[in-house]
Amino acid sequence: MARTAILSLVLLPGLLLTAKAAAPPASDGGRAADLVRELSAGSFDAREEAARRLLRLGPAAAPALKEGLKSRDLEVRRRCRELLPQVLAGDLDRRLAAFVADEASKDGLKLIGWATFHAVAGHDRQARQLYVELYRTDRALLDLLEQGPAQAGAQVTARAQRLQQSSFVRFGGVAPAPKVRSADVAGLLLAATCAQAMPQQTYYQFVNVFYSPSVRSHVQNDPALRRLTARAFLKHGTGPNTFYQTAYLARMLELTELNSALRPLVLAQVRAALTQPPDLNKLAQAVSLATNLGLEGEVAGRVKPVARQLARDVVEKPDNQGRIYQVMSLLQSLKMQDTIDEVLRPGALKLALAVAERPSDQAAFYRAFYLARSINAPEALAALKVAGRKMVIEAAARPADRNQLQQAIYVTQNLGLMEAREAILKPAVRKHVLAMLEQSDDLNQLTQAAHLAKSVDLAGLSRDTLKPLVKRRAADVLKGSPTLAQIQQVQNLAQQLGLNDVTDDAVKPALRKYLTASASQPIAAGSVYQVLALARALQLKEGVPFAARAANQKGLDGYSRSSAVLFVAAIGTREQMKELAPLVADATSLGQAHIGGSTCHTRLGDVVLGALLHVGGQSLGDYGFAYFQNGPGIGVLQAPPVFFGFASEAARDSAVAKWKKWEAGRKK
């Protein structure tokens, strides 16, 4: 018995070990609780290992981590705060991936805004993928969709501006634009489909975004984005002032689903254009629309007879060059080469032959020339060359008729009559210029003589006769107190003849003197632009005080004042430009400009803001100036003042607020 007891005692530890190994594993929750306690271990390596194992447990670790947030141990609380979002995110990723693969897997997900989203974008795999992108990057928009579409619709302008700024390529050494995401485009489109109404100006701002290659690529390659784009265009882009651009973009984006909705609008446009007499502008626009939508076959039968009659009318009365080009463009759009060959070419030749009989009829000559050039009719142009030579001979016989002489010079240049120019015109012009200089040497005569000599390349006459005479006359005219007109005339002559020494030694001192004298006199409205243009061309810093006075003089027109602002920005110092900063609030209207489909209204304050930003090294495109968002175009300080406008009050207010914030940051 003792032996049995001893054996039992010997076996007992093994039995205990066997029982422990056979016990069921602890639950994930239990392991997680143990690991959370390990987060306060004395060893850093132990704490790190516990954190790694908690992450591997995934969502099962969440309850224990939440309890750990209440721990008295600071290290445990800190690590639990860091780990909890990571384990939950892992679960969300799995759920979202399952939802993309199968819509039925959405159970347990709070898909905010999904009902509104799939109503306009669909709920196939591509739509679900796009929704998930928004879910990850733009939850704020989805929250608005959940609350009600109207709030999301109010974001169209802000989203369009933001996307336009980031989607167009930057110029002038600025860093490349950030990559456009599908979610960015989807956010704008969702806002547009939710907007109850969209003013024409806002619609233009909205559709301008789709001219960006990166945005266009997203729409063309994503079925869900295509559906959203079609919805937005149909909802807001079928009005009388917007559907032309909608049709153009529908063709560019290959949105054939819009054709059925736009077709009746195009046909109505054709009917409206076919009035008596036909409206050529509307007709050309309607044909272009039909072509964009692939409907040219439907409109050709109605439009071609009218276009043929328009061609006949142009031949009978070719007195409007613009109309000739319009008719030619219309015929080409309709592929009416037969009408071009049967009506326009014979008509052009007939007209040219009639002109050849009466070369002195300059109006008829130019009508024939425009028509022949527009349709590229070689026979008509050959006949006109004969008439042109006759005109040159007549002009050379009466060189005192300066108008006829100028017309003959123009004809030789446009018809390539170089032999007639050298053999007939040059001697006649030389004789006439010398006669002019013998009769008078006033500035007007000298200017006309220099122009004539330059137009037929009388280099010897200019060098040996005109230049010495102009130098003497410039010294005489500018030595006293010349008028602004006299200073300008001398400078024009100096430019024509390449007399840089006259500019430096006579014109610049005279203009400096004029600017100094004007400091004590009222600024005349009619002279501001002329003074500043000349001072800017000559880079005279003495013009800055004059410009600053003009910019602040409220009695002057807005164009003169804004030109003065740009002068200070171009010629003055940054400190001098800063002195004009209070004018940012000046609401004097400069008018409006149509830029990229948007109508921008411009104030004097907009020009001041743009100039301040430019001299501060800022990009105007980044501040919402519509003209400066789509590439370099004209340089900032060379652009017409009216180009500095904004497409909306909201855009202007945003730019001013951003500028003030930037200025405040610089002062710190």
Side-chain angles (χ1 to χ4, degrees):
M1 183 173 178
R3 185 177 178 182
T4 304
I6 293 170
L7 180 62
S8 299
L9 289 172
V10 171
L11 291 176
L12 185 58
L15 289 172
L16 290 173
L17 288 173
T18 303
K20 184 175 181 181
S27 67
D28 287 346
R31 286 205 303 271
D34 292 338
L35 291 170
V36 167
R37 284 190 290 273
E38 282 295 309
L39 294 176
S40 62
S43 167
F44 174 78
D45 290 340
R47 295 196 299 272
E48 286 290 290
E49 178 61 22
R52 283 192 290 269
R53 293 173 64 186
L54 282 165
L55 285 175
R56 284 197 294 271
L57 285 175
L65 289 170
K66 290 177 182 177
E67 283 298 316
L69 295 175
K70 306 172 186 176
S71 172
R72 294 181 179 180
D73 190 291
L74 178 62
E75 178 72 1
V76 172
R77 293 199 305 273
R78 181 185 69 79
R79 286 183 177 264
C80 287
R81 274 198 305 273
E82 293 174 353
L83 292 168
L84 184 58
Q86 297 180 56
V87 299
L88 292 176
D91 180 53
L92 178 62
D93 287 341
R94 285 188 288 273
R95 288 175 180 268
L96 290 176
F99 168 65
V100 170
D102 180 9
E103 186 180 3
S105 302
K106 64 184 178 182
D107 293 340
L109 279 173
K110 186 179 181 182
L111 298 178
I112 52 173
W114 170 245
T116 302
F117 179 90
H118 80 67
V120 290
H123 50 82
D124 57 10
R125 184 184 179 90
Q126 291 88 354
R128 296 196 299 274
Q129 179 65 51
L130 187 61
Y131 172 82
V132 167
E133 286 188 48
L134 282 168
Y135 193 93
R136 295 182 188 280
T137 63
D138 202 347
R139 291 284 291 274
L141 176 64
L142 296 179
D143 285 334
L144 289 178
L145 292 180
E146 190 76 18
Q147 297 169 24
Q151 294 185 57
Q155 294 190 348
V156 172
T157 297
R159 285 180 176 269
Q161 288 175 348
R162 193 160 59 243
L163 190 55
Q164 188 175 46
Q165 290 173 10
S166 64
S167 62
F168 284 95
V169 177
R170 306 292 178 83
F171 294 85
V174 183
K179 184 178 179 181
V180 174
R181 303 171 301 182
S182 294
D184 300 326
V185 183
L188 171 62
L189 288 167
L190 278 171
T193 58
C194 290
Q196 291 304 307
M198 196 182 294
Q200 181 180 333
Q201 183 176 323
T202 304
Y203 182 72
Y204 286 147
Q205 190 174 25
F206 162 66
V207 296
N208 276 348
V209 171
F210 296 91
Y211 288 98
S212 160
S214 55
V215 173
R216 194 161 61 241
S217 176
H218 280 300
V219 173
Q220 289 173 325
N221 296 311
D222 189 320
L225 282 177
R226 290 173 62 83
R227 287 191 287 269
L228 278 171
T229 306
R231 288 278 190 136
F233 282 8
L234 286 175
K235 184 171 185 178
H236 303 289
T238 56
N241 297 317
T242 57
F243 86 97
Y244 178 82
Q245 192 168 35
T246 301
Y248 179 78
L249 282 168
R251 178 65 175 268
M252 180 188 294
L253 297 168
E254 301 173 359
L255 294 174
T256 53
E257 50 265 62
L258 290 177
N259 285 11
S260 59
L262 293 173
R263 178 179 176 276
L265 299 174
V266 174
L267 297 179
Q269 179 90 344
V270 172
R271 288 193 296 271
L274 294 176
T275 54
Q276 289 300 326
D279 187 321
L280 186 52
N281 287 326
K282 288 184 178 179
L283 193 59
Q285 189 179 59
V287 169
S288 177
L289 279 169
T291 302
N292 280 336
L293 296 174
L295 301 174
E296 57 265 42
E298 294 190 42
V299 305
R302 306 180 190 186
V303 177
K304 280 188 174 182
V306 176
R308 192 173 181 88
Q309 184 57 50
L310 287 168
R312 295 191 189 100
D313 294 343
V314 162
V315 170
E316 292 297 322
K317 297 180 180 179
D319 54 352
N320 186 322
Q321 185 181 7
R323 191 171 180 82
I324 293 171
Y325 283 122
Q326 284 181 310
V327 170
M328 184 67 178
S329 176
L330 180 61
L331 295 174
Q332 289 173 333
S333 297
L334 293 166
K335 299 180 174 60
M336 295 178 66
Q337 187 62 41
D338 56 339
T339 300
I340 295 173
D341 294 336
E342 296 168 8
V343 178
L344 288 187
R345 292 191 189 283
L349 180 58
K350 180 181 178 181
L351 188 61
L353 292 172
V355 167
E357 297 298 320
R358 302 188 312 277
S360 59
D361 187 345
Q362 295 174 8
F365 182 93
Y366 286 116
R367 288 196 296 268
F369 174 67
Y370 292 145
L371 179 57
R373 186 174 64 178
S374 302
I375 65 172
N376 190 24
E379 302 91 343
L381 289 170
L384 287 172
K385 284 187 176 183
V386 175
R389 186 175 176 82
K390 291 180 180 179
M391 185 186 293
V392 169
I393 293 171
E394 290 182 4
R398 294 192 298 274
D401 186 341
R402 198 164 298 150
N403 180 56
Q404 189 174 9
L405 197 60
Q406 290 282 10
Q407 297 301 328
I409 293 170
Y410 179 82
V411 166
T412 60
Q413 292 171 340
N414 281 276
L415 291 176
L417 297 173
M418 304 308 294
E419 178 272 332
R421 190 186 82 155
E422 294 297 317
I424 302 171
L425 270 184
K426 263 194 174 182
V429 171
R430 179 183 177 83
K431 183 177 179 180
H432 180 60
V433 168
L434 289 172
M436 290 171 65
L437 298 179
E438 287 178 3
Q439 296 169 9
S440 173
D441 62 352
D442 70 36
L443 293 177
N444 287 328
Q445 286 282 74
L446 285 173
T447 301
Q448 292 174 16
H451 177 72
L452 281 172
K454 187 176 182 179
S455 63
V456 294
D457 194 22
L458 291 172
L461 180 63
S462 295
R463 181 186 65 248
D464 301 333
T465 305
L466 276 170
K467 285 186 176 182
L469 185 56
V470 167
K471 286 184 178 182
R472 292 196 301 271
R473 189 66 184 128
D476 291 340
V477 170
L478 300 182
K479 67 182 178 182
S481 299
T483 65
L484 181 62
Q486 288 174 320
I487 299 172
Q488 183 70 68
Q489 278 186 307
V490 172
Q491 174 58 13
N492 290 343
L493 273 168
Q495 282 185 308
Q496 281 194 54
L497 297 170
L499 295 172
N500 295 330
D501 53 341
V502 170
T503 297
D504 292 335
D505 301 337
V507 177
K508 286 184 178 180
L511 186 57
R512 288 191 183 98
K513 186 176 179 181
Y514 179 89
L515 289 168
T516 301
S518 67
S520 59
Q521 300 173 359
I523 296 177
S527 66
V528 173
Y529 182 77
Q530 187 179 2
V531 171
L532 295 179
L534 185 56
R536 189 166 176 177
L538 299 177
Q539 293 290 294
L540 292 186
K541 294 186 178 295
E542 291 83 355
V544 173
F546 176 90
R549 285 177 59 215
N552 282 293
Q553 189 164 314
K554 293 188 176 181
L556 290 176
D557 63 280
Y559 188 81
S560 295
R561 295 178 68 194
S562 57
S563 298
V565 170
L566 295 178
F567 181 93
V568 175
I571 305 296
T573 64
R574 186 176 297 184
E575 287 68 29
Q576 287 171 319
M577 186 62 225
K578 282 183 180 179
E579 292 177 6
L580 299 182
L583 293 177
V584 167
D586 195 307
T588 301
S589 175
L590 303 182
Q592 61 186 36
H594 298 284
I595 299 171
S598 298
T599 301
C600 295
H601 298 269
T602 311
R603 299 175 178 176
L604 176 64
D606 302 339
V607 181
V608 178
L609 176 60
L612 285 165
L613 291 170
H614 180 73
V615 300
Q618 297 288 291
S619 166
L620 273 66
D622 292 343
Y623 282 76
F625 285 86
Y627 174 76
F628 299 100
Q629 289 177 327
N630 301 338
I634 304 171
V636 171
L637 299 182
Q638 287 73 44
V642 74
F643 281 16
F644 284 77
F646 289 95
S648 66
E649 277 296 321
R652 176 180 288 111
D653 293 342
S654 175
V656 172
K658 185 176 180 180
W659 165 71
K660 288 180 177 178
K661 184 177 180 181
W662 172 66
E663 279 290 341
R666 292 209 314 170
K667 289 176 181 177
K668 290 180 181 179

